[in-house]
Amino acid sequence: MVAGREAALPIVLAITGPKRSGKTSLCARLVQHCADMGLQLGGMLAPDRRRGDAKVGIDVVWLRDGQRHALARIVPRDQATTVGEYAFDHQVLDETLAVLLRDLARPLDLVLIDEIGRLELKRGGGYAAALDAIPSSPVPVVSVTVRPELVEILSQRVAPSPVRAFDVTDDPERMLAALLEIIRDATQMA
């Protein structure tokens, strides 16, 4: 770590786009490129869980050890839900929050949080405590997937850490290259 890095604020890369626009897919590619660069990664991805062509829920994959868990399932409209159409496994949610807090406290190169939404930003639940840990984290770059309408609230929540938003519906290849350049520059300074 370069002298002074511990005083620098993490850069927050907000990867935005509407529902099912490819945010998690772009993040998976970003993770693979960063791993190929030899960077130390933490955090989590939240890929769809599918049965055939149908989405039936969301899994969570912890990046430090590759463990995969069922995070949420889609429930019928007449059943009570936690958020939107999803019923969350609260034990997996709590364990994933612990993983995020642990990773944000370590001197990793990149921590990825896929995805932050209304639960965290409007209700203070889910992974909200991880957002509060970002400004004091030794990690130089934190990547967060978030819907476009929530980017401003995310920016306020992680202040004074700077937030740079990238819309996945723009040219994904150009976006991936820009994200990798920011990560490369930030980790070379660390």
Side-chain angles (χ1 to χ4, degrees), residues 92-114:
V92 173
L93 194 64
D94 291 346
E95 290 171 356
T96 302
L97 174 59
V99 165
L100 292 172
L101 291 172
R102 177 200 68 202
D103 289 351
L104 285 164
R106 293 182 173 169
L108 302 173
D109 296 310
L110 170 69
V111 170
L112 190 131
I113 305 172
D114 177 31

Side-chain angles (χ1 to χ4, degrees), residues 139-156:
V139 177
V141 182
V142 178
S143 177
V144 177
T145 59
V146 63
R147 302 267 174 81
E149 65 272 15
L150 297 173
V151 171
E152 184 57 38
I153 299 170
L154 172 68
S155 296
Q156 294 167 5

Side-chain angles (χ1 to χ4, degrees), residues 15-65:
I15 299 176
T16 72
K19 191 175 188 175
R20 296 186 174 103
S21 61
K23 298 181 296 290
T24 298
S25 296
L26 180 78
C27 287
R29 292 182 61 210
L30 180 65
V31 165
Q32 187 58 56
H33 281 279
C34 289
D36 291 348
M37 292 165 46
L39 298 180
Q40 296 294 310
L41 308 175
M44 46 71 83
L45 282 171
D48 291 350
R49 186 172 351 100
R50 298 185 124 5
R51 186 171 295 128
D53 289 337
K55 179 177 178 176
V56 296
I58 303 170
D59 285 347
V60 64
V61 179
W62 300 335
L63 299 179
R64 294 282 291 158
D65 60 15

Side-chain angles (χ1 to χ4, degrees), residues 80-86 88 90 93 116-129 131-132 150 153 157:
T81 60
T82 304
V83 177
E85 62 188 338
Y86 298 104
F88 283 84
H90 292 283
L93 194 64
I116 294 296
R118 294 182 317 238
L119 178 63
E120 290 82 11
L121 295 171
K122 294 192 173 185
R123 297 183 190 173
Y127 308 133
L131 296 176
D132 296 337
L150 297 173
I153 299 170
R157 185 70 183 251

